[in-house]
């Protein structure tokens, strides 16, 4: 059983920044290095948008074109977490942000697709206004 918990969301002024944290526990915690962890976001009535993914073993990150330049994704293998920093926040970044994990590297290195990820957190709300 794998559990993911997001934190760090909140209300921010346009132009501000946030760091979202995804902490992984359960079975994944024993061999965290073999996982691919991604971040998605979703607004009501729309599909889940893949933002970025990170291969835990190498730290290599992939960003969706819409995320390049303002999103930065890293991982802390010891603490078993990933950190997604967003700068220069805009109103259109208002969304619920989810982290997801896949056991294996095939989901990484490309645009994150929700169907490739087996485990999901509950989401954290980010509001920019």
């Amino acid at each position: 059983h794998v559990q993911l918990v997001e934190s760090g969301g909140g209300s921010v002024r346009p132009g501000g920044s946030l760091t979202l944290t995804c902490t992984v526990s359960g079975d994944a915690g024993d061999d965290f290095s073999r996982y691919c962890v991604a971040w998605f976001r979703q607004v009501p009535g729309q599909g889940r948008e893949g933002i970025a993914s990170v291969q835990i073993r190498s730290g290599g990150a992939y960003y969706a074109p819409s995320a390049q330049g303002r999103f930065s994704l890293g991982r802390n293998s010891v603490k078993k977490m990933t950190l997604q920093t967003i700068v220069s926040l805009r109103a259109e970044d208002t969304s619920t942000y989810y982290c997801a994990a896949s056991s294996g590297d095939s989901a990484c290195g490309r645009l994150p697709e929700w169907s490739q990820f087996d485990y999901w957190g509950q989401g954290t709300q980010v509001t920019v206004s």
Side-chain angles (χ1 to χ4, degrees):
H1 185 65
V2 176
Q3 296 172 317
L4 291 83
V5 178
E6 303 96 336
S7 60
S11 296
V12 187
R13 297 280 192 182
S17 63
L18 274 179
T19 296
L20 306 179
T21 300
C22 174
T23 303
V24 181
S25 62
D27 294 343
D30 295 333
D31 192 10
F32 187 51
S33 65
R34 66 187 180 95
Y35 279 77
C36 171
V37 178
W39 282 88
F40 295 77
R41 64 184 181 185
Q42 187 174 27
V43 296
Q46 296 185 19
R48 201 159 287 190
E49 176 191 6
I51 301 169
S53 64
V54 61
Q55 186 183 69
I56 301 302
R57 181 182 300 109
S58 67
Y62 176 90
Y63 298 92
S66 61
Q68 291 177 6
R70 295 192 301 120
F71 290 71
S72 178
L73 178 58
R75 95 287 194 222
N76 184 319
S77 298
V78 175
K79 295 184 178 180
K80 297 181 176 59
M81 62 173 57
T82 66
L83 302 100
Q84 171 79 276
T85 298
I86 314 169
V87 300
S88 302
L89 281 156
R90 307 165 180 166
E92 53 264 40
D93 293 319
T94 295
S95 188
T96 302
Y97 286 74
Y98 299 88
C99 69
S102 174
S103 56
D105 296 337
S106 62
C108 270
R110 55 194 177 103
L111 184 67
E113 298 178 7
W114 67 268
S115 62
Q116 297 293 315
F117 293 84
D118 305 307
Y119 310 103
W120 291 83
Q122 293 299 307
T124 185
Q125 177 67 34
V126 173
T127 302
V128 185
S129 64

